[in-house]
Amino acid sequence: MNGIIIAGVIVGVVGIIVGVLLGVASEAFKVEVDQRVIDVRAELPGNNCGGCGYAGCDGLAAAIVAGDAKCDQCPVGGSAVGAKIAAIMGMEASSSEPNVAFVKCAGTCDKAGRKYNYYGVDDCLKAVLVPGGGSKICSYGCLGLGSCVKVCNFDSIHIVNGIAKVNAATCKGCTACANACPKHLIDMVPVSAMQKSLVECASQDKGKTVKDACDAGCIGCGACKKQCDEGAIEIVNNVAVIDYAKCTGCGKCAAKCPRKIIKFGGKPAV
């Protein structure tokens, strides 16, 4: 009986000593956390989408406090969250314009020609490895298998009639879909660009080759460029490219395009 009591006392004493040592060690090796990191992290939405360029919201919070990232660098939180974080950091809130995703392809099932019927895995990252870069004649076109849809946490992109379509009203500009597209067909554009002109094509082929492949392909004719008084359009690698900073949204380019592949969302063309 005495042995049990002695053993119990020893265990208790050892427990107390270990507890004291752990307490001392925790204080000695404690890592001080800047309260601002905690406060900034609390304002971030917690999607951990990676659109900010960091692995997650924790990484972005630490980077903001360290001065390595901007207060409004979270694309999901936008300017509202950016303003709150700027207040925590004692800085002026910036007024940068948010971006949304835009798919540079209008090659729907009824417009894009096909080399063969694809019956493989519904994944663009795998289908692009098939000879010819997919079943479409146009090797630049949207594969329509939804790899972009799978990575969107906001239900803002869907496959409609064989191509990816973005709901700009719900898109947070996180870039997940753009990063997932093996054809690099998804651009991040300023929200205001949705009320201007956007080229729904990324083909770098020329004239007849484009026409034989798709009824909605840019042939690089330059008719849109000639109509632009602001010098906002250039033909780069046989496809029209719009500088949204210069574009005024007059709609002249869209009205003149013989292929009708310039999406126009602003006021009526003049």
Side-chain angles (χ1 to χ4, degrees), residues 121-124 145-153 157:
V121 179
D122 285 345
D123 189 289
C124 301
L145 297 177
S147 289
C148 53
V149 176
K150 295 172 186 175
V151 299
C152 181
N153 292 323
I157 187 166

Side-chain angles (χ1 to χ4, degrees), residues 54-117:
Y54 292 87
C57 295
D58 288 346
L60 176 58
I64 290 174
V65 173
D68 297 328
K70 297 183 294 184
C71 292
D72 62 347
Q73 195 152 322
C74 173
V76 178
S79 58
V81 168
K84 292 179 181 179
I85 293 175
I88 293 171
M89 297 298 296
M91 301 169 64
E92 289 286 335
S94 64
S95 57
S96 59
E97 184 178 8
N99 291 330
V100 293
F102 172 70
V103 182
K104 299 180 294 184
C105 183
T108 54
C109 295
D110 54 319
K111 293 180 180 179
R114 294 187 177 274
K115 301 186 287 267
Y116 52 80
N117 292 322

